[in-house]
Every structure is written in structure tokens, then in C-alpha cells.
Amino acid sequence: MWEFVTGLISGTVSGTGMGGGTILILVLSIFLGVEQHIAQATNLVFFVPTSISAIIISIKSKLIEWKIGIVLAITGIIGAIIGANISAKIEVKSLKRYFGIFLAGIAIYEIYSMIKEYKKEKYSNNKN
């Protein structure tokens, strides 16, 4: 049951372009007790079909900047090969720590962005 709910939520978040794989990895590793390496590899299997679905809809909606997308895809493939080789050699405990640091960094950035946007809106509303 958890797998179904997790897949549905992660797929929905992935479709919006916000990284449903992060949710998937958290649920697999924390709630389902899956080892970090396996959770991250499972995320990669999840990523391909959800990405293809989102790409098809984005193409139909004409939301893709092809020049940028192709460059990102090529360099992303190279980075994925490098990252997968590095990940396979890292201990589970260290990998969990690095993933946590990565998530904390994203959270800090998002909070900072929200505060910055709030101040910008507040300033522009006070100016009028």
C-alpha cells in the first residue's frame, strides 16, 4: 500500500518538475527501511517513465527550450554516469549523510527565496 501511495505522490510531484524522486527516496529509506543505495537506484527506475510522461505533455504544451534542454540532457548523462560510479563506492552511512546535507541545502535555499520574494512583494506594495 505504501508503495502505491508513494508512487502516486512522487509521480504527481515529478510531473510538476519539482523532484518527486526526493520524496520517493525519503519514503523508501525512512518508512520502508530500504537501504539508501537501493532507494536511490529504485528512484532512477521510477524517474524514466515519469519523465517521459512529463516530457510528452510539455512538448504538447510547447514548454521546452530545446537548445538548453539538449545541452542539459547530454551533460546530465555524463554527470549521471560519474555520480552513479561515485555513489556505488560510498558507504551507506556516508551516502545518507550527503543526501541529508543536500536536502538541507535545498530547504535553506527555498526558505531564503521565499523570504526574499516576500520582502520584494511587501516593498512593492508599500511603494504603491
Side-chain angles (χ1 to χ4, degrees):
M1 180 64 175
W2 267 105
E3 292 87 352
F4 178 79
V5 172
T6 302
L8 187 62
I9 293 169
S10 297
T12 302
V13 173
S14 288
T16 65
M18 294 191 298
T22 303
I23 293 169
L24 181 65
I25 293 170
L26 285 173
V27 171
L28 288 174
S29 61
I30 294 172
F31 297 109
L32 298 177
V34 175
E35 184 181 303
Q36 188 76 18
H37 285 99
I38 295 171
Q40 288 183 208
T42 303
N43 174 57
L44 297 176
V45 172
F46 160 86
F47 181 76
V48 173
T50 56
S51 294
I52 290 170
S53 302
I55 289 168
I56 291 168
I57 292 169
S58 295
I59 288 172
K60 287 180 180 179
S61 301
K62 299 180 181 180
L63 297 173
I64 295 177
E65 180 66 46
W66 286 102
K67 287 181 183 179
I68 295 171
I70 290 170
V71 171
L72 290 174
I74 292 168
T75 55
I77 290 168
I78 295 167
I81 292 168
I82 294 168
N85 283 309
I86 292 170
S87 173
K89 295 174 184 171
I90 297 175
E91 293 180 23
V92 173
K93 189 175 181 180
S94 296
L95 191 58
K96 280 186 173 185
R97 185 178 310 120
Y98 299 144
F99 187 67
I101 292 167
F102 170 73
L103 291 179
I106 290 173
I108 290 167
Y109 173 77
E110 288 298 323
I111 291 168
Y112 170 77
S113 296
M114 288 172 56
I115 291 169
K116 188 175 173 182
E117 186 65 29
Y118 172 77
K119 287 181 178 180
K120 182 179 174 184
E121 286 178 19
K122 189 176 177 182
Y123 175 75
S124 66
N125 287 341
N126 286 340
K127 202 173 185 181
N128 294 330

